[in-house]
Structures are given as structure tokens and as C-alpha cells.
Amino acid sequence: MLTKDVALVACRGVYRKAASGYRRQAAVLREASDLAVGDTVNCYVRLVEKSSGRLTVSRERVDTGSLRKERVAARLRKQIKRGTLAPGKQRVATVVNYVGDFLQVDAGGILADIDAPDEEDFSEGDRIMVRIESVDEQALTATLSYVGLDELEEGLEE
């Protein structure tokens, strides 16, 4: 055990190259307070650190979609903490879908619907500027609004 609930486990069938040949790869298993030395458990690879080759494993099957969501949520929390995801800030967003009078956009992990301006035509994949109007820190969502080219130019002159 590394700490009271984190264990270092030896992985059967996973080896790494060493000076003396190949050695069994060790991995970090979190939430392992119920394990004792010598216990055998089935684990699934959750994270591979590319630079060191270290593995983090889990006892539950890993859904890659949920891992991506966890990473996005961690990044958004960090942006909120640093103040880069705050009301009044502007950021680039990608148009995911154009439905009626609304644009569905992805602004760096924040998915939102915004009012589409009448004078412009949009298609999937277009990059636009949006302004953050409000942020819900618990749900990690935000209200966004479209920033037109004329508003961008006004902001540069000030």
C-alpha cells in the first residue's frame, strides 16, 4: 500500500523493458483500502502516462467517453479557478450544429446554444467568437452570446 487507500499492484501480462530484460509493470490502484498484500484482483487500465509509461488502473471497466468528460471537467474547473472562464471573457467556439435560429457551439468543452445573427450564414465547423455571459460552477456550464465582427473591432479600439 502506498497510502491507506492507494495500492501499487503488479500487472500480470504487462511488462516494461529494463536493463536486465523485461520486468512486470507496476500500476497505481486507487480506492484499494480493502486489499491486503497478496490479494489478486482484476483491473482495467485507466490512464497511461506517455512520458514515464506508468499505469493507473481501476477495478471497473473504463468507458473512454467518461474519461474524456472527466478531463474536460477538470480543465474547466481549472479555468474557473484561474479566472479565464468568467463572465465578460471572450473565446473562440466551433459551430457544432445550426438549427433554426440557434447555433449549437463548443467553446472549449462548454456546449451551448446561442442566438444566430440574421445577417450571417453558418455551417458546421465554422469558428466564431463568443462572450461568456454567466458561469454555473457546480454544473460546469455557461451562457454564451455571439460576438460579431463589429463588436470585436470596437473592443480593439478601446
Side-chain angles (χ1 to χ4, degrees), residues 93-155:
T94 303
V95 176
V96 177
N97 200 359
Y98 186 26
V99 180
D101 294 338
F102 294 97
L103 291 172
Q104 293 176 343
V105 297
D106 181 353
I110 299 172
L111 301 173
D113 292 342
I114 61 173
D115 291 328
D118 297 329
E119 65 275 356
E120 296 188 42
D121 191 30
F122 298 95
S123 60
E124 206 172 296
D126 285 353
R127 310 275 291 188
I128 62 171
M129 286 298 290
V130 294
R131 179 179 298 110
I132 300 168
E133 300 296 335
S134 66
V135 177
D136 181 347
E137 295 182 19
Q138 267 61 44
L140 295 176
T141 59
T143 305
L144 307 175
S145 64
Y146 176 77
V147 177
L149 189 57
D150 54 336
E151 292 178 67
L152 281 175
E153 291 171 353
E154 287 173 9

Side-chain angles (χ1 to χ4, degrees), residues 8-99:
L8 188 64
V9 296
C11 299
R12 184 177 299 154
V14 180
Y15 298 92
R16 64 179 171 85
K17 192 170 186 176
S20 61
Y22 287 91
R23 301 185 69 183
R24 186 175 287 167
Q25 176 69 42
V28 175
L29 175 62
R30 298 186 189 287
E31 300 169 5
S33 59
D34 60 331
L35 294 179
V37 175
D39 285 352
T40 300
V41 293
N42 290 324
C43 296
Y44 302 91
V45 175
R46 183 169 182 76
L47 176 69
V48 177
E49 292 182 26
K50 293 179 183 174
S51 60
S52 65
R54 291 184 185 148
L55 302 175
T56 300
V57 294
S58 170
R59 289 195 234 179
E60 292 87 36
R61 288 190 183 272
V62 180
D63 177 24
T64 55
S66 64
L67 283 178
R68 182 184 183 286
K69 288 177 187 173
E70 286 177 22
R71 281 190 219 117
V72 168
R75 184 169 38 84
L76 291 175
R77 279 191 212 92
K78 192 173 187 179
Q79 290 175 2
I80 289 170
K81 186 176 178 182
R82 277 191 271 148
T84 57
L85 178 59
K89 298 282 186 176
Q90 294 181 0
R91 58 175 44 197
V92 176
T94 303
V95 176
V96 177
N97 200 359
Y98 186 26
V99 180

